[in-house]
Every structure is written in C-alpha cells, then in structure tokens.
Amino acid sequence: MLKTKFSHFRFTRIALILLLIIVVFPSIQPAHRAYAANADSGPAESIYEALISGDKVASDRTYAAPDKPTVYLTFDDGPSKYTPEVLDILRKEEIPATFFVVGEHVEENPKLVKRIVSEGHALGNHSYDHTYKKLYSDYKGFWKQVEQTDRAIEKAAGFRTGLMRAPGGTAENFDAFYFYYMKEAGYTLYDWDIDSEDSKRTGVPAAEIIRSIRKAPLKHELTVLFHDGTGHKETVKALPEVIRYFRDKGYAFAKLDDRVKPAQFPVRKAGRWHRSAPGEAEFAQTAAAMRDWAASVSGGRSPVPSGEETAVGAGSVRHRQAEPRLPLTLIVDGRRTVLPPEQALFREERLEVPLRVLAQQMGAKVSWDQAALTASVDYGFTRLDYNLRDYTLSVHLWARITAVYHLPNMRLLEGSLYVPLRKTVELLGGDILDYHADKSGREVTISGGTVLFSSKL
C-alpha cells in the first residue's frame, strides 16, 4: 500500500514538472531579446522584419571590462583652435582621450590630427560638416559624409578609424536601419553616459560644465561628452577640474577602441526627419554595399584594431606581441578533445573553433545546407542557424526564432565554419567552467547543456 502511494506521488510530481515545462518554458525568452520573428521566415527576411518594426539586431561582439572604474573622455566637433589647449592639458595629466572629428575641420587642420594620434589618443568619425538635415533626411546622405570624413582622416593620419559618433547622438536621429547599416560597414557607434552640457547654448561657463559633471550618476565605465570645436573655450577651462573630480573618485582614464562596450542609446522614433523605410530590395542592396565597403577597408583601419598595439600614456605607443598559436584542449563533461593550433584561433581576445567539432563534443547534431549557405545545430529544443549569406546567427527555441545575432567575423576556412567558443556554448545551454593557458597550450572545461536543452532529454 505504501509503495503504491509512493509510486502515485512520484508519477504526479513528474507530470507536474512536465506540465510546467510545456506551459511555462516556451514563454521564457533570453535576457536580451534581439527581436521576435516568424519561425518560417529566412534570416534575411527576419532581419528586415525586425528593422522595419524598430528593433536592433544584436551583435555577439564581446568586450573587455576594465578592472578599475574607468572614464573615457571624448571631444566632438574639432579639431579647432582650442584642440591644442585640450591636448596640452591631457599631456600634462598623462591622460588618453578620444576625439570625434569633423571631416572639413580635419582637412583644415591635418597637423592637429597628426598630433592627436602621435600623443596616443584615439580618432573617431563625426561626419563631414555636421549638418543634421543632410545627415538624417536619408541614409545615403549620412553615408556620403561618413565616407568623406573617412578619406580625410586617412589622408591626415595614415589610417582609417572604426569609431563613429553620430552628430547629436543616435537618439531620435538614427532608426534601426541606420544602426544595422553602420554595423555592416564595420563601425562601432558611441553615444555617451554623461553630457557635460557644454553645448546646450553658446558660452556655457566652466562652473556650469563642472556642475553638470558632478551631478551625473556614476558607474564602473563612463563615456563623457565634451566639445573642442569653435566656441568652447570654457570647456578647456573646466577640463582640469573635471579630471581632478574623477581622479578623486578613484577612476582611471582610457581612450575608446573596439574592445570597449559602447554607450549607446536605445532606438527611438526619428519622426522629425520624415524618412520612409526602405523596401526589401533596397535594404538588401544597401546592406551588401556596406559589407563590401567594410571588406575593402579592413586592412586600413586604426593601428589599434585588434589589440596588437596599445597606447602607454601620452605620446608613446608600444607594440604588444601577438598571441602565440597553441593547441586547445576541450573538456566537455569529462570528454577530452585536442584541437591543433590551426583549429584553435585566438582573435580579438576570444577563442574561435570549428562549429562541428564543438557541437558534436556537446552531443549536438550538425548539418550543412550548401544552397542556403547555412550550418544548423540541433540540440534538444534549441536550434542554431549560422547563415553565411548575411552573417547572422538565428536562435530557435521550441521551433520559434527568439533572437538573431550579427556575426561579422564568421568565416569558412578549409570547409570548417569557425564560431566564438563561449557564445556558442552559452547558446546551447552550457557554461565555461574553467580556462587555463600556458606555453604548452590552452585548456577549456565546459559543462554540457542542462536537461531542458540537452539532446538526451
């Protein structure tokens, strides 16, 4: 009798758990939902549908958070006659910063641009003439100015930059299509966390600028907006006190690069510009043009694109040795596989491995559709579709697309699709338990997916 009751209780408990999974689990979405889309749609259609509805497409790019609280001082609209004074202060304080320059001023002041770079600061693109109507009436006008400034920077500094700040910021100026196109072109967009309010009207006094900084909320990483263009003498006066303020709060200072997670405003309606959304054919054509442009200039980007060089204080740059190519040992739930150095790529501070090797180690099934140029990974209730046509990763959960990520660095090498190790493990419900590296090689310990994700369910 007791045994029968126990069996009945166990059956009831299992039934309740299964019911909970069926009813509740499909409604659970990723913490950051890129956008919802129809599961029957292809990735390209899904992206267009997301953008047309105002949603940004998520990126899988990983960023390096600094150990210490860090401030990124940024200066817009220069170079101008005030830029040398800003540079003098930064050199005295031994602080790196970032200058988002306007193309026409770069052409007028090429020596100042050279000085900015030679003293260890970063350069960003800030359009050619900063005229809002030209920039935000349509994307073609915006892109024309990006290209003009890109050429001006390359001529003055000898390299191209992947950093971009939209004049006036992205809020109410950018729509989802602008964000997507610029991402495809290889640019990282930076808004700000703190506005010094030095441009809210002409001649804002230094004391007011300092008050604006002091009243702003603080967090671990802060991007601060200043201006070094014409009419900003008071910003120069305020700068030493602002630097002292952040130093007293325990902050370090750094310049922006593509390893810094960008402060970026959410997409807001840009209704004041009365832009019409592109059709699907126009969207596909523009996106392809942006990707082609990115591929054509990838070799001429800033001298700090992937961590090979790093600034050491003002006025000096040291070269950092490239990461050695080493074998990689993957340990998945106790199962060990060793990848030779040519299959364990270490790029931009992250490991990339062949998708098939990793997925099969985790017990997943992998298939390849040559016509669609898509690799699919099936793992329990999860399916990942890596599309090489538009460089996207679509995540399907319970037969529904729950997120789409942009993977600009995805590539096919000698018949193998290489993907970011950590991101792929996490999307399959697993976790990186340990990482170890020495002269003989690297070793990563991985836990497989939970029972809800596992193909063994």
Side-chain angles (χ1 to χ4, degrees):
M1 182 71 176
L2 181 61
K3 184 176 181 180
T4 302
K5 286 184 178 180
F6 178 76
S7 299
H8 177 73
F9 172 74
R10 184 172 59 180
F11 174 79
T12 302
R13 185 175 62 176
I14 292 173
L16 287 172
I17 291 172
L18 288 173
L19 181 63
L20 181 66
I21 291 173
I22 292 170
V23 173
V24 176
F25 189 73
S27 65
I28 299 174
Q29 303 296 339
H32 176 73
R33 181 186 172 102
Y35 58 80
N38 189 316
D40 296 328
S41 302
E45 291 176 332
S46 300
I47 290 174
Y48 180 77
E49 290 169 3
L51 299 176
I52 205 78
S53 65
D55 295 323
K56 277 198 288 187
V57 175
S59 171
D60 85 317
R61 177 179 286 182
T62 55
Y63 302 99
D67 294 331
K68 291 185 64 177
T70 300
V71 168
Y72 307 98
L73 301 181
T74 66
F75 299 87
D76 289 9
D77 298 356
S80 78
K81 64 180 182 179
Y82 297 118
T83 304
E85 296 180 60
V86 172
L87 290 170
D88 289 344
I89 294 169
L90 296 174
R91 182 168 56 186
K92 179 182 177 182
E93 300 288 347
E94 297 186 340
I95 285 175
T98 303
F99 291 80
F100 288 98
V101 294
V102 174
E104 61 182 8
H105 300 325
V106 170
E107 292 174 346
E108 294 164 358
N109 301 286
K111 290 183 179 179
L112 276 180
V113 174
K114 288 183 174 67
R115 181 181 168 187
I116 289 171
V117 175
S118 69
E119 295 189 1
H121 306 294
L123 281 177
N125 191 317
H126 195 49
S127 83
Y128 186 76
D129 66 14
H130 209 281
T131 303
Y132 285 14
K133 188 173 182 179
K134 293 181 185 178
L135 293 165
Y136 301 125
S137 292
D138 62 60
Y139 182 75
K140 288 180 181 178
F142 183 88
W143 179 247
K144 180 180 178 181
Q145 295 217 18
V146 172
E147 282 192 295
Q148 285 178 290
T149 305
D150 179 79
R151 288 192 294 269
I153 290 173
E154 184 180 29
K155 184 177 179 181
F159 64 85
R160 290 165 150 162
T161 178
L163 310 183
M164 177 78 202
R165 174 170 285 161
T170 61
E172 299 181 1
N173 291 320
F174 266 40
D175 55 30
F177 287 97
Y178 270 61
F179 276 108
Y180 184 75
Y181 292 148
M182 290 301 289
K183 184 191 299 182
E184 294 297 278
Y187 281 95
T188 303
L189 287 158
Y190 290 88
D191 287 313
W192 53 86
D193 300 297
I194 296 179
D195 183 354
S196 68
E197 299 185 353
D198 63 348
S199 65
K200 68 179 182 180
R201 65 180 186 277
T202 302
V204 178
E208 190 173 333
I209 294 170
I210 294 167
R211 283 198 300 272
S212 296
I213 297 292
R214 288 179 175 273
K215 72 180 182 183
L218 301 179
K219 59 180 184 176
H220 190 71
E221 291 181 90
L222 291 168
T223 299
V224 183
L225 171 67
F226 293 105
H227 295 80
D228 65 325
T230 302
H232 288 283
K233 176 67 175 177
E234 292 297 305
T235 299
V236 178
K237 292 180 181 178
L239 186 56
E241 179 59 32
V242 170
I243 291 171
R244 279 194 293 272
Y245 168 73
F246 282 116
R247 274 191 169 144
D248 289 345
K249 293 289 184 181
Y251 279 85
F253 294 84
K255 62 184 178 181
L256 296 173
D257 62 36
D258 60 7
R259 292 164 292 178
V260 177
K261 186 175 181 178
Q264 207 169 86
F265 302 142
V267 179
R268 299 175 187 169
K269 288 186 177 180
R272 61 176 171 160
W273 299 113
H274 306 292
R275 290 193 298 262
S276 57
E280 287 190 60
E282 181 186 349
F283 159 68
Q285 184 179 20
T286 305
M290 295 299 98
R291 286 192 287 271
D292 290 345
W293 191 87
S296 72
V297 303
S298 61
R301 290 288 193 195
S302 162
V304 199
S306 60
E308 295 302 314
E309 299 176 344
T310 182
V312 193
S316 62
V317 173
R318 66 173 169 86
H319 291 265
R320 191 167 70 190
Q321 289 186 347
E323 289 286 343
R325 302 189 74 177
L326 299 169
L328 171 66
T329 301
L330 295 177
I331 304 173
V332 183
D333 294 334
R335 300 184 302 276
R336 182 182 294 264
T337 297
V338 179
L339 299 181
E342 60 270 19
Q343 289 189 345
L345 307 182
F346 195 87
R347 295 195 307 153
E348 298 181 10
E349 306 296 326
R350 69 181 182 187
L351 277 167
E352 296 178 3
V353 297
L355 174 62
R356 184 176 295 275
V357 173
L358 176 60
Q360 289 179 344
Q361 273 294 101
M362 295 185 69
K365 297 178 181 178
V366 184
S367 59
W368 170 253
D369 185 337
Q370 179 62 38
L373 288 180
T374 299
S376 297
V377 179
D378 289 289
Y379 194 55
F381 301 129
T382 302
R383 191 177 92 240
L384 309 179
D385 287 338
Y386 293 83
N387 187 285
L388 276 167
R389 238 184 251 292
D390 58 8
Y391 293 88
T392 56
L393 163 60
S394 302
V395 182
H396 303 250
L397 192 59
W398 292 69
R400 297 191 304 169
I401 293 180
T402 58
V404 176
Y405 297 92
H406 179 61
L407 297 176
N409 295 321
M410 184 164 54
R411 53 184 176 167
L412 199 63
L413 296 176
E414 297 182 357
S416 294
L417 179 62
Y418 281 76
V419 296
L421 174 64
R422 180 179 294 276
K423 186 71 174 180
T424 305
V425 168
E426 291 174 349
L427 287 172
L428 290 173
D431 196 14
I432 304 294
L433 300 180
D434 189 37
Y435 172 76
H436 172 73
D438 56 29
K439 293 181 180 179
S440 62
R442 298 185 176 91
E443 184 177 281
V444 179
T445 304
I446 301 169
S447 68
T450 65
V451 68
L452 292 178
F453 290 89
S454 173
S455 56
K456 299 175 183 178
L457 184 65

